[in-house]
Amino acid sequence: MGCQCTGNTNDKYAIENILDPNYDTNLNLNTKLKTTNYVKKVFYLINKIRTNPAQFSEYIISSEKYIKEIEDRVIYDNKIKVALNEGKKMFSECAEYLRTLPPMEELSFNDDIVLECPTEPNSIKDMNYFKQKVIEKKESQKIEAYFKDSISEPEISVLLIIVDDSMKNPKKKREAVLNPKYKYIGISSTDDISETKTEGMNKDNGNNGDNNNGENNTIKKSPFCAYFSFK
């Protein structure tokens, strides 16, 4: 779900401030593949966390202020809304874990293990498409961990991957990203998120054939997904 939310960007621990504005000058991304801004930022952030886990714990704690309870559901609410499972309890547990986690080596980007993201909207949402890509890649490469993500904001995507407060298999993504035995990572994503303004359509996108002369404009966001693989 999307929302118009504003965070306190003056807070040095705000999630909006974890990405160095000049991050791309220090980005050791050796790839021949086309990469999106999402891929570049997420690659940078993951390595930043791996080399200094304790520092990122402060961002975890600072982000707890965005956790809300709405209609008996626990929600992370900052720019986007994401359903959580345990909420602040998992954020606090993750922060404590990072404080005690020894630094580890950066991951190198490996073109050979990248799982190609789809371009068709139906495939982007299809988990079976992702599973098929994993099966195909395993035929030629030894990938040891992999997962799919659907949050297009890079900073928030990484935050919630590290906290990994999911209802199904919690902490599995975190364990992959922060596994010191892994040396390589592959990341792909759909094109950077875009919005398309459609005029002359009613709320059901004109399926009933009515035209209201553009009185109800709609904003449609492109579906998004990212694929991660490790070895």
Side-chain angles (χ1 to χ4, degrees):
M1 295 178 287
C3 70
Q4 297 297 323
C5 306
T6 57
N8 180 10
T9 54
N10 293 322
D11 178 358
K12 70 176 182 177
Y13 293 130
I15 194 63
E16 293 87 350
N17 294 331
I18 71 172
L19 189 67
D20 185 333
N22 300 315
Y23 80 95
D24 53 343
T25 62
N26 300 315
L27 188 62
N28 187 24
L29 181 62
N30 296 317
T31 177
K32 296 180 180 179
L33 302 177
K34 176 185 175 182
T35 54
T36 62
N37 287 330
Y38 174 93
V39 169
K40 295 174 184 176
K41 290 180 179 180
V42 167
F43 176 73
Y44 171 86
L45 290 170
I46 285 176
N47 277 333
K48 186 174 181 180
I49 297 166
R50 284 176 64 94
T51 56
N52 195 344
Q55 183 182 52
F56 195 72
S57 67
E58 302 299 332
Y59 298 119
I60 302 290
I61 295 300
S62 175
S63 298
E64 288 185 3
K65 62 178 170 285
Y66 299 119
I67 300 174
K68 302 177 181 179
E69 290 190 14
I70 303 175
E71 296 179 352
D72 297 324
R73 298 173 64 201
V74 184
I75 301 291
Y76 176 86
D77 188 356
N78 176 31
K79 293 186 178 180
I80 59 173
K81 292 182 179 179
V82 182
L84 301 174
N85 184 20
E86 298 188 31
K88 289 186 178 180
K89 179 181 178 181
M90 183 65 88
F91 274 61
S92 297
E93 182 276 336
C94 180
E96 184 59 31
Y97 170 73
L98 292 177
R99 291 189 188 104
T100 62
L101 187 66
M104 63 196 77
E105 292 183 359
E106 293 185 354
L107 292 166
S108 297
F109 198 91
N110 188 330
D111 288 358
D112 292 337
I113 67 171
V114 171
L115 301 166
E116 184 181 356
C117 265
T119 56
E120 294 296 324
N122 289 338
S123 297
I124 290 171
K125 299 176 182 179
D126 187 357
M127 194 64 184
N128 288 326
Y129 184 97
F130 170 67
K131 292 178 180 178
Q132 182 60 38
K133 287 297 179 181
V134 170
I135 292 171
E136 292 172 2
K137 184 59 65 175
K138 280 188 169 183
E139 292 178 355
S140 60
Q141 297 292 327
K142 184 181 178 182
I143 56 175
E144 299 186 43
Y146 41 86
F147 60 81
K148 176 182 178 181
D149 195 61
S150 58
I151 298 174
S152 61
E153 296 283 346
E155 297 90 335
I156 297 174
S157 174
V158 172
L159 169 71
L160 297 182
I161 284 172
I162 296 299
V163 174
D164 201 7
D165 186 22
S166 58
M167 298 180 185
K168 184 178 181 180
N169 299 320
K171 302 183 186 179
K172 290 298 183 182
K173 293 179 179 179
R174 181 202 305 178
E175 291 170 0
V177 170
L178 299 179
N179 190 327
K181 79 173 186 178
Y182 293 155
K183 305 299 181 185
Y184 303 102
I185 187 172
I187 313 171
S188 65
S189 79
T190 52
D191 290 337
D192 296 312
I193 202 73
S194 62
E195 293 185 349
T196 303
K197 187 173 183 180
T198 305
E199 297 185 357
M201 306 287 279
N202 57 22
K203 291 183 179 180
D204 64 358
N205 294 325
N207 290 334
N208 61 5
D210 294 335
N211 189 317
N212 57 16
N213 296 318
E215 292 178 1
N216 290 324
N217 294 335
T218 62
I219 300 296
K220 182 179 180 180
K221 283 192 174 183
S222 302
F224 177 89
C225 75
Y227 291 169
F228 293 75
S229 53
F230 303 83
K231 76 171 187 177

